[in-house]
Amino acid sequence: MINHDEAAVRPLTLAWVSRHLEVGERIVKTEALRGGITADMRRLTIGTQDGRTRDLVLRSYVDPFYVERAEGGLNREAGALTLLAGTGVPAPELVAVDPTAAHCEYPSLLMTHLTGRTVLDDEGVETRVPLLARQLVAIHALRPAERPRKYVTLTTSDTVVVPKGADAAVWAAAIDVIRRPTPPYEGRFLHRDFQPGNVLFAMSPPSPAGPQITGVVDWAATSWGPADLDVAHCSTNLALLHGPAWGLRFAEAYEEAGGVLAATTSERLYWQVRDALACSEEVQSVSQPWREAAGRAELTTRSVEERLDAYVIALMDALG
């Protein structure tokens, strides 16, 4: 999952990073971290003055499409990491940010490295789902003095991509669901991309208490909105990774952990359906890192489309 590549960090960026190190520290190694979709991620090993090492993580937006959109995302992430410091939510600490590439070749953010790894295997999912739910409840409990921006949903009835071979009638009914007015909601602090790929677990050595969450990463989409939206997003990812039943299970686990969802079934399913349909537009970009970085070779674009279809059918059955 780690690709050694010493030359990948450009000279201006290396100089910028060096200016934010402690006296006597230097960069001794860089490693590419695989699995990201929008940004180039690097782990930087820093040699300290006393002969030890520590790690930092560098996020850089290098794709022209994302470079144009980097400033807002990096500023949001920097603000979120600053807010999260000392809250008990395990997030990286902000070291420095260059959102407009004033000093680096590309817009970049430098943060501390967290221990643990993402776990996307089917084995053990029944143990991890309650942990994910409890962590999300803790995130939603935050009450920042200054709220982040209002949540954004870009999917419309015209942008949904119905998978080949999907039940056309069910998908048409699902698309009708997101044509409805947005249900009322009580605002919460949202991660907005909370899903297994952005949660780190301590898995080795095995703990008597079982796996523990060591970090939540990728706070670039932080916003303010309904808790249901974060729950729906994690539910969709679980459905595609592990099967539709796990997508349905996550909302139950969230409530069992003390989370509060929308008042009615139809309101809850509005958000669940909306997120599932949003995923229809990006099945290929989502499934590729699962295959390449997580070793889930069976999660081809086609198989993930089939799971998405099955999940939408399950949601519409629950809606009645």
Side-chain angles (χ1 to χ4, degrees), residues 18 116 131 313:
S18 296
L131 298 178
I313 291 172

Side-chain angles (χ1 to χ4, degrees), residues 233-296:
H233 188 63
C234 192
S235 295
T236 301
N237 278 266
L238 288 168
L240 302 188
L241 278 166
H242 308 298
W246 288 107
L248 300 174
R249 168 73 184 116
F250 185 69
E252 297 174 355
Y254 179 82
E255 289 190 291
E256 291 166 2
V260 178
L261 295 173
T264 69
T265 300
S266 62
E267 289 172 349
R268 298 178 188 192
L269 286 169
Y270 170 89
W271 299 108
Q272 297 275 19
V273 170
R274 171 169 282 285
D275 192 87
L277 297 188
C279 192
S280 74
E281 304 167 37
E282 50 191 27
V283 168
Q284 183 172 354
S285 63
V286 167
S287 60
Q288 183 174 347
W290 292 344
R291 294 192 301 273
E292 295 180 354
R296 296 290 303 273

Side-chain angles (χ1 to χ4, degrees), residues 5-18 27 29-32 40-45 57-60 62 104-106 108 110:
D5 188 349
E6 298 273 321
V9 183
R10 304 290 293 277
L12 288 178
T13 303
L14 286 173
W16 174 76
V17 170
S18 296
I27 302 166
K29 186 167 69 172
T30 70
E31 298 172 316
D40 181 74
M41 303 292 292
R42 303 277 158 182
R43 177 162 61 192
L44 311 181
T45 301
V57 173
L58 175 70
R59 178 197 295 276
S60 296
V62 301
C104 306
E105 282 86 356
Y106 302 105
S108 299
L110 185 66

Side-chain angles (χ1 to χ4, degrees), residues 36-40 60-74 99 106-107 282 285:
I37 296 175
T38 61
D40 181 74
S60 296
Y61 289 87
V62 301
D63 185 292
F65 177 84
Y66 293 112
V67 166
E68 293 181 2
R69 297 156 177 80
E71 183 177 1
L74 288 176
Y106 302 105
E282 50 191 27
S285 63

Side-chain angles (χ1 to χ4, degrees), residues 17-248:
V17 170
S18 296
R19 291 197 294 273
H20 292 283
L21 301 180
E22 301 293 332
V23 174
E25 291 187 333
R26 60 190 181 88
I27 302 166
V28 297
K29 186 167 69 172
T30 70
E31 298 172 316
L33 301 175
R34 299 180 60 186
I37 296 175
T38 61
D40 181 74
M41 303 292 292
R42 303 277 158 182
R43 177 162 61 192
L44 311 181
T45 301
I46 310 301
T48 62
Q49 197 168 24
D50 61 4
R52 303 182 195 180
T53 61
R54 66 186 182 102
D55 290 333
L56 298 176
V57 173
L58 175 70
R59 178 197 295 276
S60 296
Y61 289 87
V62 301
D63 185 292
F65 177 84
Y66 293 112
V67 166
E68 293 181 2
R69 297 156 177 80
E71 183 177 1
L74 288 176
N75 281 328
R76 280 190 296 276
E77 182 155 28
L81 297 184
T82 301
L83 164 72
L84 291 164
T87 63
V89 173
E93 295 178 13
L94 176 68
V95 176
V97 62
D98 182 14
T100 60
H103 307 285
C104 306
E105 282 86 356
Y106 302 105
S108 299
L109 183 142
L110 185 66
M111 57 192 146
T112 58
H113 175 266
L114 299 176
T115 60
R117 62 180 179 88
T118 57
V119 184
L120 305 181
D121 302 328
D122 285 334
E123 183 180 358
V125 63
E126 68 282 352
T127 302
R128 297 192 302 274
V129 162
L131 298 178
L132 290 168
R134 287 200 291 272
Q135 185 61 75
L136 189 54
V137 169
I139 292 169
H140 291 165
L142 297 175
R143 295 292 181 269
E146 184 176 344
R147 293 180 181 178
R149 68 168 185 169
K150 181 182 177 182
Y151 75 93
V152 175
T153 55
L154 300 178
T155 300
T156 70
S157 57
D158 296 324
T159 60
V160 174
V161 179
V162 179
K164 181 180 179 181
D167 189 317
V170 171
W171 278 73
I175 291 170
D176 283 340
V177 168
I178 68 170
R179 289 194 176 104
R180 300 174 186 172
T182 302
Y185 64 87
E186 183 177 351
R188 291 284 185 268
F189 182 83
L190 305 182
H191 181 283
R192 201 58 184 92
D193 192 16
F194 186 86
Q195 42 92 3
N198 283 330
V199 179
L200 306 177
F201 285 88
M203 302 295 292
S204 180
S207 165
Q212 302 293 318
I213 291 176
T214 59
V216 181
V217 299
D218 196 354
W219 296 86
T222 302
S223 51
W224 188 261
D228 288 81
L229 196 52
D230 263 356
V231 173
H233 188 63
C234 192
S235 295
T236 301
N237 278 266
L238 288 168
L240 302 188
L241 278 166
H242 308 298
W246 288 107
L248 300 174

